[in-house]
Amino acid sequence: MSKIIAIANQKGGVGKTTTSINLSASIAAAEYKTLLIDIDPQANSTSGLGVSKNEDSIYEVIEGLKEVDQVVLNTYMPNLDLIPSNINLVGAEVEMVSMENREKQLYNNIISVKEKYDYIFIDCPPSLGLLTLNALTAADSVLIPVQCEYFALEGLGQLLNTINIVKKQLNPTLSIEGVLLTMFDTRLRLSHQVKDEVKKYFGDKVFQTLIHRNVRISEAPSHAKPVILYDSVSIGAQNYIALASELIERTNPKTIEETK
C-alpha cells in the first residue's frame, strides 16, 4: 500500500527541500519504489536531482495539459522517480482559484500512479496557499521539518491549524507523520533548548533522528546529488539514512512488502 507524505512548513529555510531530496533518495536506496513530487515553484528539488527546470512539470498536469504519467521522470537513482516543478507554478495558484474542487487537483491527478510506488513525497512551497492545500489534501500524513534556531516554533501554530482545517473539511485521514529537527548543532545550547521545547510540544511525534548541521548536506545540491551519493560517509548522509530507517519502521514496511 502506497504512503503519501507531504513535507511542509510555511517557514522558509527549515530544510524542507533538503529533506525531500535526501529522504526520498535514502528510501529509494533501501529498494522501495519512491516518487518525489516537486510542487514548489522554486523547483529546488527538481534541480537538486539534476533535472532541468524546463521539463514538463506538475503545472501541466494541474492545468490539464498533460497526464501525470507523461511528466514522471526516472532519475539517475534506481527506484527514485520525480515529477518536476518549474516557475509556471507561480501562476497555478491564481488559475486554480476558479477551478471546481480546486483543493483536490493534485489528488485527482496522482491517484492513477499511486499504486506504482511504496512512498510518494511532496515537497511543498514555503507558504500555506493552494499548492500546499493540494498537497495536504492528497497526502496520508505530513512531515514537518523544524530548524533548531530561535524562531523555530514561530508559525507552527498556523500550520497545525491549517492541517486541522484540511482534516475536517477535505481529508479526514490526514495525520502528522512526525516532526523532524534539522540544522542541529551539538555545540550550541540553543539547539538543545529547541529540541526540548519541540519534544515537550509534540511528544513522540518527534523523530528520534536529528539532522545535524553538516557542510556536505549544503554542498550536495550544487552537484545535483543527494548527500548519500555526494558523500555517503558524511554525518549528513548517515542522518538521512537513519531517518529513512525510522520512517520505514514507523510506516509498517511489512504491509508494503505484502502488496508488492
Side-chain angles (χ1 to χ4, degrees), residues 30-247:
E31 300 187 347
Y32 288 91
K33 286 288 292 176
T34 307
L35 174 65
L36 174 57
I37 302 173
D38 187 356
I39 63 160
D40 185 346
Q42 296 176 82
N44 289 331
S45 278
T46 299
S47 59
L49 287 172
V51 174
S52 168
K53 294 180 182 180
N54 297 319
E55 295 281 353
D56 287 335
S57 70
I58 192 64
Y59 171 78
E60 280 76 20
V61 175
I62 290 171
E63 290 296 307
L65 304 173
K66 295 274 184 180
E67 295 295 325
V68 68
D69 54 6
Q70 293 178 291
V71 301
V72 174
L73 301 176
N74 302 123
T75 69
Y76 48 69
M77 274 198 78
N79 300 311
L80 179 58
D81 290 348
L82 171 73
I83 297 180
S85 171
N86 62 38
I87 194 64
N88 291 335
L89 267 182
V90 169
E93 290 205 272
V94 177
E95 291 156 10
M96 278 195 288
V97 168
S98 59
M99 289 182 182
E100 191 176 346
N101 291 325
R102 60 191 181 185
E103 297 90 355
K104 295 192 173 182
Q105 292 301 310
L106 182 63
Y107 173 80
N108 290 338
N109 280 292
I110 67 171
I111 195 73
S112 62
V113 298
K114 179 179 177 182
E115 295 310 318
K116 294 180 182 178
Y117 298 97
D118 299 314
Y119 288 92
I120 297 174
F121 295 98
I122 308 173
D123 181 16
C124 298
S127 70
L128 293 177
L130 265 176
L131 290 171
T132 298
L133 280 179
N134 265 262
L136 296 177
T137 303
D140 299 307
S141 59
V142 191
L143 189 157
I144 307 170
V146 175
Q147 84 280 35
C148 293
E149 293 177 359
Y150 185 72
F151 293 114
L153 298 177
E154 190 179 72
L156 268 187
Q158 191 181 355
L159 174 61
L160 295 175
N161 186 48
T162 300
I163 291 170
N164 285 331
I165 291 170
V166 170
K167 191 169 181 175
K168 285 177 185 174
Q169 299 182 6
L170 298 164
N171 183 3
T173 61
L174 183 66
S175 63
I176 294 175
E177 189 64 52
V179 177
L180 175 67
L181 290 162
T182 64
M183 306 177 203
F184 186 83
D185 190 332
T186 54
R187 301 165 299 177
L188 298 180
R189 181 183 299 174
L190 178 60
S191 283
H192 295 278
Q193 289 173 337
V194 171
K195 181 179 77 168
D196 291 344
E197 281 298 310
V198 171
K199 285 195 169 183
K200 191 187 300 181
Y201 194 78
F202 289 100
D204 61 4
K205 286 290 185 184
V206 181
F207 284 99
Q208 293 298 313
T209 303
L210 300 171
I211 307 301
H212 291 78
R213 204 175 272 282
N214 178 247
V215 70
R216 294 304 198 195
I217 293 177
S218 303
E219 290 172 351
S222 66
H223 296 268
K225 291 180 178 179
V227 70
I228 63 167
L229 293 186
Y230 177 62
D231 186 348
S232 61
V233 298
S234 66
I235 290 172
Q238 296 306 309
N239 287 166
Y240 277 108
I241 290 167
L243 176 64
S245 297
E246 188 176 351
L247 180 64

